Amino acid sequence: MPNELDLQISVEVKDHHASSALCGITVESDNITELQTGTPSLSGNIYGPVCKGSQTLPSRASIVDTSAHGALTGSATVIDPTPWTPELPATYLATVHLSIDDGSPSTYNHPFGFKSLETREDSFYINQRRFVPRLAQLNVQDHDVRDLLDVIREEYLCLAIRHPKTELLELATEQGCWVFVLLDGSEDPATVLSWCKHPACFAVVLTTEASIQLIDPLRNQIMALTMLGQQVTAGQTLSDFVHFVMVEASELGAIDFAKKPIVVTRNDSSVSIENGRRGCELIQRDTAATADFAGYAVLNSKTPGDDLTDRN
């Protein structure tokens, strides 16, 4: 039996409605030959919703083994799934038991959440309701992670960040804070996928040509987990597959956006946690004569502190 580090558990929400959600469970191994030495079988359950800040009524949905042709898969139907939102950051836990030739099972856990993100014409929608994100990319090196997220939630902000550490995404999921991950192309592809699996990950944003090339083989997997955006400047080609675009306020008239939702940005190196919301309001005021945009973001060129980012 392979040890826990050899296996990766993933959960894909294949069919999500208000009354039920069909979840597909896949087990993969870097050393697949170990799993082929016998006859593996899957069992387990999905437990939730669980939310540290609110009382919930969790239930269990059994995982049915659907393995075939050498692929280890299972499925489970969750009744009345509770979607993850900043107001109610509810999560679920998939517990998978894997045994070979009816031997003693090994247990693996995979936390996940339900969320319904979509775009309609020029707007974002979360669980059928229009949502206007206001983002701040902050210089956070002087702030504790929990304190930072507390302030962002109090200001009704979303966090934009590069190379986030797992700790940050886990806390954002627990506390209820949307995160936009900005890619520059230097990331490890497997790490990008791991970021996308966190319920708090609203989107990954392509900011360079290198980042577009990086995600090309991962595109379908990423888009099954979260939104995909692109930061565009004048003269740059807009990728037709992205859900939305981010563009500097001063370049709004120079780019053809192909009717995609637009998050208007402004670079401001003086931005702080306390004035991030105000910065977004100023962008909205200054661009109101042009249109009512999908979102607003205050960005800066400062590098976040090592306590929140992972550049290894």
Side-chain angles (χ1 to χ4, degrees), residues 83-159:
W84 188 97
T85 65
E87 296 76 22
L88 184 64
T91 59
Y92 288 74
L93 182 68
T95 299
V96 177
H97 307 299
L98 173 64
S99 59
I100 296 180
D101 293 334
D102 297 323
S104 299
S106 295
T107 300
Y108 307 89
N109 294 313
H110 178 79
F112 72 101
F114 295 101
K115 57 185 178 183
S116 176
L117 306 178
E118 60 179 320
T119 60
R120 301 180 194 171
E121 296 182 350
D122 58 358
S123 300
F124 296 107
Y125 283 80
I126 299 176
N127 305 318
Q128 307 299 319
R129 299 181 62 180
R130 185 170 184 251
F131 174 63
V132 181
R134 291 170 173 84
L135 292 72
Q137 181 187 355
L138 303 174
N139 180 22
V140 295
Q141 61 185 7
D142 297 326
H143 297 276
D144 176 77
V145 180
R146 290 184 181 274
D147 291 344
L148 167 71
L149 295 178
D150 284 342
V151 174
I152 289 176
R153 291 190 72 246
E154 290 171 2
E155 294 294 319
Y156 297 97
L157 286 168
C158 304
L159 176 64

Side-chain angles (χ1 to χ4, degrees), residues 149-206:
L149 295 178
D150 284 342
V151 174
I152 289 176
R153 291 190 72 246
E154 290 171 2
E155 294 294 319
Y156 297 97
L157 286 168
C158 304
L159 176 64
I161 193 168
R162 299 180 186 273
H163 298 267
K165 277 194 171 181
T166 300
E167 177 194 8
L168 173 66
L169 291 168
E170 290 176 345
L171 286 172
T173 295
E174 175 187 314
Q175 296 183 219
C177 175
W178 285 120
V179 178
F180 287 63
V181 179
L182 309 179
L183 302 184
D184 58 24
S186 65
E187 300 83 1
D188 173 68
T191 301
V192 173
L193 281 178
S194 71
W195 292 338
C196 295
K197 292 177 181 180
H198 290 271
C201 181
F202 186 97
V204 293
V205 181
L206 312 175

